Amino acid sequence: MSAEATMAPSTNADSSMEKTDTSEMDKAPKPSASGSYVTLAEYEGDKSAYTDTNVVLFFHAGWCPNCRATEENLNADLAGIPSDLTIVKVDFDNSDQLRQKYGVTTQHTFVQIDANGEQITKWSGAETAEDIAKQVV
């Protein structure tokens, strides 16, 4: 038991150091991303933060290989998203109202919307931020 008592304080000390390191990392300035790749919840939480950008909804399904490939590419090169572009990840399987509103029938569909949420254009088949940006009107 004395070995356990000896180990417990060092474990607690290690834990507090980890917590301190984490909080210090949270205080560090975040690098400013060129553009944004956000979830629908993040977008809807503060739409005003994206008013100066072109907003593209990315209807994504976790089971879709093309969707996963596009997401991997976006996450691998977040700095490659143009500064005037916000890509919003929309869960294809759980967003029936948005799918109906924009006439989305297949996953891996992209819909550019204006500030009022009206559709500007719609397409499928983009794999990178550059591909998405080329379609933006």
Side-chain angles (χ1 to χ4, degrees):
M1 286 194 165
S2 62
E4 289 176 16
T6 305
M7 291 177 68
S10 65
T11 303
N12 290 339
D14 291 344
S15 295
S16 65
M17 286 180 66
E18 288 175 17
K19 289 179 185 173
T20 302
D21 291 345
T22 303
S23 63
E24 287 177 18
M25 288 173 51
D26 291 340
K27 293 177 186 174
K30 306 277 187 223
S32 59
S34 304
S36 300
Y37 180 42
V38 299
T39 65
L40 181 60
E42 290 169 319
Y43 174 71
E44 289 181 338
D46 187 11
K47 289 182 181 179
S48 65
Y50 308 100
T51 55
D52 293 336
T53 67
N54 295 300
V55 176
V56 174
L57 305 178
F58 168 27
F59 286 85
H60 177 283
W63 47 265
C64 165
N66 292 334
C67 298
R68 288 194 314 260
T70 299
E71 181 167 42
E72 279 182 30
N73 290 334
L74 292 172
N75 284 325
D77 187 21
L78 292 172
I81 300 172
S83 61
D84 65 344
L85 180 61
T86 298
I87 303 167
V88 180
K89 180 180 173 181
V90 178
D91 185 333
F92 178 85
D93 293 320
N94 296 314
S95 301
D96 294 340
Q97 288 181 333
L98 285 177
R99 285 189 3 234
Q100 184 177 15
K101 178 177 181 174
Y102 300 115
V104 174
T105 58
T106 61
Q107 70 286 350
H108 203 243
T109 298
F110 300 85
V111 179
Q112 182 184 354
I113 59 173
D114 66 16
N116 297 318
E118 297 301 317
Q119 179 178 316
I120 297 172
T121 188
K122 178 173 55 176
W123 71 94
S124 293
E127 299 245 345
T128 65
E130 183 180 356
D131 293 340
I132 295 167
K134 287 178 184 177
Q135 297 292 329
V136 171
V137 178

